[in-house]
mmCIF file of all heavy atoms in Angstrom:
data_model
loop_
_atom_site.group_PDB
_atom_site.id
_atom_site.type_symbol
_atom_site.label_atom_id
_atom_site.label_comp_id
_atom_site.label_asym_id
_atom_site.label_seq_id
_atom_site.Cartn_x
_atom_site.Cartn_y
_atom_site.Cartn_z
ATOM 1 N N MET A 956 -1.982 -23.801 97.474
ATOM 2 C CA MET A 956 -0.786 -24.639 97.560
ATOM 3 C C MET A 956 -0.857 -25.591 98.748
ATOM 4 O O MET A 956 -0.346 -26.713 98.688
ATOM 5 C CB MET A 956 0.463 -23.758 97.621
ATOM 6 C CG MET A 956 0.752 -23.047 96.298
ATOM 7 S SD MET A 956 2.386 -22.279 96.213
ATOM 8 C CE MET A 956 2.118 -20.838 97.241
ATOM 9 N N ALA A 957 -1.494 -25.151 99.843
ATOM 10 C CA ALA A 957 -1.619 -26.029 101.008
ATOM 11 C C ALA A 957 -2.464 -27.254 100.695
ATOM 12 O O ALA A 957 -2.199 -28.349 101.206
ATOM 13 C CB ALA A 957 -2.235 -25.255 102.175
ATOM 14 N N PHE A 958 -3.486 -27.088 99.854
ATOM 15 C CA PHE A 958 -4.387 -28.192 99.517
ATOM 16 C C PHE A 958 -4.017 -28.864 98.200
ATOM 17 O O PHE A 958 -4.769 -29.721 97.725
ATOM 18 C CB PHE A 958 -5.827 -27.685 99.439
ATOM 19 C CG PHE A 958 -6.429 -27.352 100.776
ATOM 20 C CD1 PHE A 958 -6.703 -26.038 101.115
ATOM 21 C CD2 PHE A 958 -6.712 -28.348 101.699
ATOM 22 C CE1 PHE A 958 -7.257 -25.716 102.354
ATOM 23 C CE2 PHE A 958 -7.269 -28.042 102.929
ATOM 24 C CZ PHE A 958 -7.541 -26.724 103.264
ATOM 25 N N SER A 959 -2.892 -28.487 97.603
ATOM 26 C CA SER A 959 -2.532 -29.027 96.290
ATOM 27 C C SER A 959 -2.395 -30.556 96.356
ATOM 28 O O SER A 959 -1.755 -31.099 97.233
ATOM 29 C CB SER A 959 -1.229 -28.397 95.799
ATOM 30 O OG SER A 959 -0.169 -28.651 96.694
ATOM 31 N N TRP A 960 -3.026 -31.207 95.405
ATOM 32 C CA TRP A 960 -2.962 -32.670 95.318
ATOM 33 C C TRP A 960 -2.245 -33.127 94.057
ATOM 34 O O TRP A 960 -2.036 -34.302 93.849
ATOM 35 C CB TRP A 960 -4.371 -33.252 95.346
ATOM 36 C CG TRP A 960 -5.197 -32.846 94.154
ATOM 37 C CD1 TRP A 960 -5.318 -33.499 92.959
ATOM 38 C CD2 TRP A 960 -6.003 -31.685 94.028
ATOM 39 N NE1 TRP A 960 -6.141 -32.822 92.105
ATOM 40 C CE2 TRP A 960 -6.588 -31.698 92.735
ATOM 41 C CE3 TRP A 960 -6.304 -30.605 94.881
ATOM 42 C CZ2 TRP A 960 -7.442 -30.693 92.283
ATOM 43 C CZ3 TRP A 960 -7.164 -29.624 94.418
ATOM 44 C CH2 TRP A 960 -7.712 -29.661 93.147
ATOM 45 N N HIS A 961 -1.861 -32.157 93.215
ATOM 46 C CA HIS A 961 -1.194 -32.480 91.969
ATOM 47 C C HIS A 961 -0.201 -31.370 91.658
ATOM 48 O O HIS A 961 -0.391 -30.215 92.064
ATOM 49 C CB HIS A 961 -2.219 -32.614 90.837
ATOM 50 C CG HIS A 961 -1.664 -33.215 89.579
ATOM 51 N ND1 HIS A 961 -0.978 -32.452 88.644
ATOM 52 C CD2 HIS A 961 -1.690 -34.490 89.094
ATOM 53 C CE1 HIS A 961 -0.609 -33.233 87.640
ATOM 54 N NE2 HIS A 961 -1.012 -34.480 87.891
ATOM 55 N N LEU A 962 0.865 -31.712 90.949
ATOM 56 C CA LEU A 962 1.886 -30.720 90.610
ATOM 57 C C LEU A 962 1.289 -29.547 89.846
ATOM 58 O O LEU A 962 1.709 -28.393 90.042
ATOM 59 C CB LEU A 962 2.994 -31.382 89.788
ATOM 60 C CG LEU A 962 4.196 -30.503 89.426
ATOM 61 C CD1 LEU A 962 4.921 -30.031 90.673
ATOM 62 C CD2 LEU A 962 5.152 -31.277 88.513
ATOM 63 N N ALA A 963 0.295 -29.816 88.992
ATOM 64 C CA ALA A 963 -0.322 -28.741 88.208
ATOM 65 C C ALA A 963 -0.972 -27.700 89.117
ATOM 66 O O ALA A 963 -0.947 -26.495 88.820
ATOM 67 C CB ALA A 963 -1.357 -29.321 87.244
ATOM 68 N N ILE A 964 -1.556 -28.147 90.240
ATOM 69 C CA ILE A 964 -2.185 -27.213 91.175
ATOM 70 C C ILE A 964 -1.125 -26.312 91.804
ATOM 71 O O ILE A 964 -1.346 -25.122 92.038
ATOM 72 C CB ILE A 964 -2.957 -27.972 92.267
ATOM 73 C CG1 ILE A 964 -3.984 -28.904 91.628
ATOM 74 C CG2 ILE A 964 -3.642 -27.005 93.217
ATOM 75 C CD1 ILE A 964 -4.986 -28.193 90.749
ATOM 76 N N LEU A 965 0.040 -26.889 92.062
ATOM 77 C CA LEU A 965 1.135 -26.097 92.617
ATOM 78 C C LEU A 965 1.570 -25.010 91.625
ATOM 79 O O LEU A 965 1.883 -23.885 92.021
ATOM 80 C CB LEU A 965 2.313 -27.014 92.961
ATOM 81 C CG LEU A 965 3.294 -26.511 94.031
ATOM 82 C CD1 LEU A 965 2.569 -26.239 95.336
ATOM 83 C CD2 LEU A 965 4.399 -27.531 94.246
ATOM 84 N N PHE A 966 1.567 -25.340 90.344
ATOM 85 C CA PHE A 966 1.899 -24.343 89.326
ATOM 86 C C PHE A 966 0.836 -23.243 89.273
ATOM 87 O O PHE A 966 1.168 -22.068 89.077
ATOM 88 C CB PHE A 966 2.052 -25.007 87.952
ATOM 89 C CG PHE A 966 3.448 -25.474 87.669
ATOM 90 C CD1 PHE A 966 3.828 -26.780 87.952
ATOM 91 C CD2 PHE A 966 4.388 -24.610 87.126
ATOM 92 C CE1 PHE A 966 5.122 -27.215 87.699
ATOM 93 C CE2 PHE A 966 5.674 -25.032 86.869
ATOM 94 C CZ PHE A 966 6.048 -26.340 87.151
ATOM 95 N N VAL A 967 -0.433 -23.629 89.453
ATOM 96 C CA VAL A 967 -1.489 -22.614 89.510
ATOM 97 C C VAL A 967 -1.240 -21.664 90.679
ATOM 98 O O VAL A 967 -1.358 -20.436 90.555
ATOM 99 C CB VAL A 967 -2.871 -23.281 89.638
ATOM 100 C CG1 VAL A 967 -3.954 -22.236 89.922
ATOM 101 C CG2 VAL A 967 -3.212 -24.053 88.375
ATOM 102 N N GLY A 968 -0.877 -22.237 91.819
ATOM 103 C CA GLY A 968 -0.608 -21.427 92.994
ATOM 104 C C GLY A 968 0.561 -20.476 92.785
ATOM 105 O O GLY A 968 0.490 -19.293 93.151
ATOM 106 N N ARG A 969 1.647 -20.967 92.189
ATOM 107 C CA ARG A 969 2.815 -20.103 91.973
ATOM 108 C C ARG A 969 2.528 -19.041 90.923
ATOM 109 O O ARG A 969 3.068 -17.938 90.985
ATOM 110 C CB ARG A 969 4.024 -20.949 91.556
ATOM 111 C CG ARG A 969 4.584 -21.811 92.659
ATOM 112 C CD ARG A 969 4.914 -21.017 93.895
ATOM 113 N NE ARG A 969 6.181 -20.316 93.790
ATOM 114 C CZ ARG A 969 6.537 -19.296 94.573
ATOM 115 N NH1 ARG A 969 5.711 -18.829 95.478
ATOM 116 N NH2 ARG A 969 7.717 -18.725 94.432
#
Side-chain angles (χ1 to χ4, degrees):
M956 290 192 285
F958 288 111
S959 60
W960 64 91
H961 192 277
L962 184 62
I964 304 301
L965 204 58
F966 271 94
V967 171
R969 290 306 280 162

